[in-house]
Amino acid sequence: MSAQEADSPEPATTATIEQAITRAHREEWARVVAGLARRFGDLDVAEEAAAEAFASAAERWPREGVPPNPGGWLATTASRKAIDRLRREAQRDAKHQAARLMFDDTPPAPTGPVEDDRLRLIFTCCHPALAVEARVALTLRLLGGLTVAEIARAFLVPETTMARRITRAKAKIKGARIPYRVPSADDIRERLAGVLAVVYLVFNEGYLAGEGDDPVRGDLTDEAIRLGRLLRTLLPDHGEVTGLLALMLLTDARRHARVSRTGELVTLDEQDRGAWDRTLLAEGNALVRERIEAVATRGDLPGRYQLLAAINVVHTDAPSARDTDWSTIVALYGRLLLLDPSPIVRLNRAVAVSEIDGPGVGLAEVDRLAEALDGYHAFHAARADLLRRLGRSGESREAYDRAIGLAGNPAERAYLTRRRDQLAG
């Protein structure tokens, strides 16, 4: 008896059924697509069969009831949809190899240190042979279940452009025979870094959108956190996976305090800390403490995301902005520089230094980054604030103008404009 036949439906109201379908899509989409991709070795087949299965659920569950095991029902239905498609293609195009897969139920050979279809799918979507834009699009489509229209809207490109991007990425995976597998234990660290970078890119685009009319896109931050939780489930002992999830939780906890009712960015020192999400803060803090204990007991070396999460803990632990432990933050940025000596890390450290040694010292460090960061709006915003604190209003106004011209986020532009207009003279 199949899983589908074994599942006797249970009656439910229309609202309950809609909630069940929504929950199943959120919880089971990635699992269903990943399982199909492993079995049939074709991302197009996996995606389309999964979509057809959810369409069948939307049609049949209101009439027949929600099955006791929605995930099993969806997986069985999707497999049958995939088989039907391959049978039609085999009959039409004589694709005997594809047809053979219809009857191949043998378990797959071991493909990596972590045996989970979703992890294999993540590494396929984020393969370094693909452009970063393609990795993001595939991850959101195949792991997140977002529609092409939703992804296109989030990244402000036409739907046809995003569809072509996804199609080309899947074609490259097939044409280059990129294996659907988790990397070996020897190189998982190197490959995982690219996966984490994609998830963090999705989070940042949602948390402070680079372009468009919406300053914050909660759907993207929520999706990034969901992917982070999935990675944490699959790789619970990896420090940087835990660090990234902690970083996103601690940052997202401040989401509702970051934009005013008038649509202006509210900086960390001006935020209402009572509006922060204490549940997310507690979860993020617990993950950081877990990593601190691992460093103390096992001698693990904290990576970039763990250090950024620790910096966020220092910020969010302070009862007010003036109580912030800036010395610890400067020290953490100093450790981060050893791993990532980028101009942006140096800029953030310089801002922290200015809170201890004064705006003059901070400005001197910031100005050393002028050549590298001249096109970065946050560099000019930092200069503008330091010049304002030094009483150099004319130079500050010029820096604000430059920052406003480069900023793509409407909430940031509104904040910078107000600060510029408050300058004396």
Side-chain angles (χ1 to χ4, degrees), residues 157-170:
V157 298
E159 184 175 347
T160 53
T161 300
M162 185 56 69
R164 286 195 299 269
R165 185 177 295 172
I166 293 173
T167 299
R168 284 196 300 267
K170 289 190 289 188

Side-chain angles (χ1 to χ4, degrees), residues 34 37-38 108-128 143 178-193 195 230-231 234-235 238 241:
R38 173 185 55 78
T111 55
V114 181
E115 292 303 317
D116 190 286
D117 291 336
R118 292 165 297 174
L119 193 64
R120 297 188 188 99
L121 185 56
I122 290 175
F123 275 93
T124 301
C125 291
C126 297
H127 195 279
L143 271 299
I178 292 174
Y180 174 65
R181 65 173 179 83
V182 175
S184 66
D186 292 336
D187 61 9
I188 191 170
R189 181 188 301 273
E190 178 183 350
R191 288 283 304 281
L192 183 60
V195 174
L230 172 60
L231 285 168
L234 301 177
L235 297 171
H238 197 285
V241 170

Side-chain angles (χ1 to χ4, degrees), residues 150-159 162 205 209-214 217 408:
E150 288 172 331
I151 302 170
R153 186 164 58 249
F155 287 90
L156 302 174
V157 298
E159 184 175 347
M162 185 56 69
E205 181 59 29
E211 298 288 347
D213 297 328
D214 296 328
R217 294 171 182 156

Side-chain angles (χ1 to χ4, degrees), residues 28 41 55 108 182-183 194 218 268 272 314 318 343 362 368 372 376-377 382 394 401 411 419:
E28 302 295 341
V182 175
L268 183 60
D272 174 11
V314 177
R368 296 189 188 101
Y376 183 44
H377 77 278
D401 286 339
R419 297 291 282 177

Side-chain angles (χ1 to χ4, degrees), residues 373-395:
L373 297 178
D374 184 59
Y376 183 44
H377 77 278
F379 164 75
H380 296 283
R383 284 195 78 247
D385 182 66
L386 294 170
L387 289 165
R388 177 191 59 79
R389 290 163 59 185
L390 289 168
R392 295 158 61 176
S393 297
E395 294 172 86

